[in-house]
Amino acid sequence: MTSNTLDSCYSHVPWYSMEEWNLVYSLVYSSNIEDMKKAYRRLFVWKTKVEDLPAGVECTLGILQVRLREMELSALDQRIISHEDLQLMYSTAIIRFLNMIAELEQGQGRSQSTLYYKAQGMDIPSWIVNLRHDAAHSSVLPPLHLLKSAAEFIFAWLNDYYWKNEAEHTFDYYIQPLSSVGIYRRSVRHILSLLNIYLQLVHDTRADLT
């Protein structure tokens, strides 16, 4: 199998194995807030390891962050966080989610279609697209209960369209590191190759002079 074929079939990821990925998956969708916190911390570590997280992971991180933030602050004191703060946090997460959906579709050569059309093709209802438009362009943020409903839908959508799908179709592929002997042999071959090129150049130069 050529390297080009490998590149098209496999991708580098920030998690060590599918075992780790499945653990995080179970924590993300746990009903226990401590499990969700563990999932968030692990997702954030993944984010530091790569330039771009897979879109499904990035969107999950955004929604999970808002949900945890609300849970933690509400547990401390309802007065700490305002209604408007929650509206802004949920609006930001929803806007980012739909922006990523649009970018993914553009990558598949569908840049000319509207966001409504793209969302419809991915089973995302139009009311969520409308909510995103209001959050991005209106002077008044959408009602909190609608934003929460949208976030719940997106969280479930990510489970169906990213996490479950990846769990069923992704597997580990390890590239064995070279041993010290293998590295030494590769270095020797490289040096001999350079030496051969040098000797050939010397031979050609002498031939030109005679």
Side-chain angles (χ1 to χ4, degrees), residues 19-198:
E19 181 180 0
E20 179 188 353
W21 186 94
N22 279 304
L23 172 62
V24 173
Y25 177 21
S26 66
L27 294 174
V28 166
Y29 286 92
S30 170
S31 58
N32 185 295
I33 187 172
E34 293 303 319
D35 286 344
M36 294 169 69
K37 288 179 182 178
K38 291 177 184 177
Y40 175 77
R41 288 193 291 268
R42 192 69 67 91
L43 292 176
F44 197 79
V45 169
W46 289 356
K47 187 175 178 65
T48 65
K49 291 183 176 181
V50 291
E51 185 175 347
D52 294 304
L53 278 173
V57 177
E58 185 73 59
C59 292
T60 301
L61 180 61
I63 296 294
L64 189 60
Q65 182 180 31
V66 178
R67 297 183 73 186
L68 281 172
R69 184 68 173 164
E70 181 181 10
M71 290 178 187
E72 290 174 346
L73 293 177
S74 296
L76 292 173
D77 190 336
Q78 286 282 0
R79 294 168 298 178
I80 292 178
I81 187 166
S82 70
H83 199 80
E84 291 76 17
D85 289 336
L86 284 176
Q87 285 176 289
L88 183 59
M89 287 191 294
Y90 276 110
S91 294
T92 301
I94 292 165
I95 290 170
R96 289 186 65 192
F97 167 74
L98 285 169
N99 286 350
M100 282 195 176
I101 292 298
E103 290 173 8
L104 286 175
E105 290 289 287
Q106 284 178 354
Q108 297 175 10
R110 304 171 189 169
S111 57
Q112 300 302 317
S113 58
T114 66
L115 183 55
Y116 285 99
Y117 181 81
K118 295 170 185 175
Q120 183 182 30
M122 302 184 78
D123 295 328
I124 299 170
S126 59
W127 68 268
I128 290 185
V129 180
N130 290 333
L131 206 63
R132 179 257 182 204
H133 183 273
D134 291 343
H137 303 293
S138 176
S139 59
V140 179
L141 291 173
L144 184 58
H145 72 277
L146 283 180
L147 292 168
K148 285 187 176 183
S149 295
E152 288 295 329
F153 175 89
I154 292 169
F155 201 56
W157 186 94
L158 287 166
N159 185 31
D160 291 334
Y161 282 81
Y162 173 70
W163 293 96
K164 284 183 180 179
N165 185 62
E166 290 292 306
E168 292 173 1
H169 299 102
T170 305
F171 58 91
D172 292 325
Y173 180 83
Y174 297 101
I175 299 176
Q176 294 294 336
L178 287 173
S179 65
S180 57
V181 174
I183 294 173
Y184 173 76
R185 287 175 177 171
R186 174 180 284 185
S187 299
V188 170
R189 285 197 298 269
H190 181 63
I191 292 171
L192 290 175
S193 176
L194 292 176
L195 181 60
N196 183 58
I197 293 172
Y198 171 75

Side-chain angles (χ1 to χ4, degrees), residues 1-12 173 175 186:
M1 185 177 289
T2 66
S3 59
N4 288 337
T5 305
L6 275 173
D7 289 341
S8 64
C9 295
Y10 304 102
S11 59
H12 297 286
Y173 180 83
I175 299 176
R186 174 180 284 185

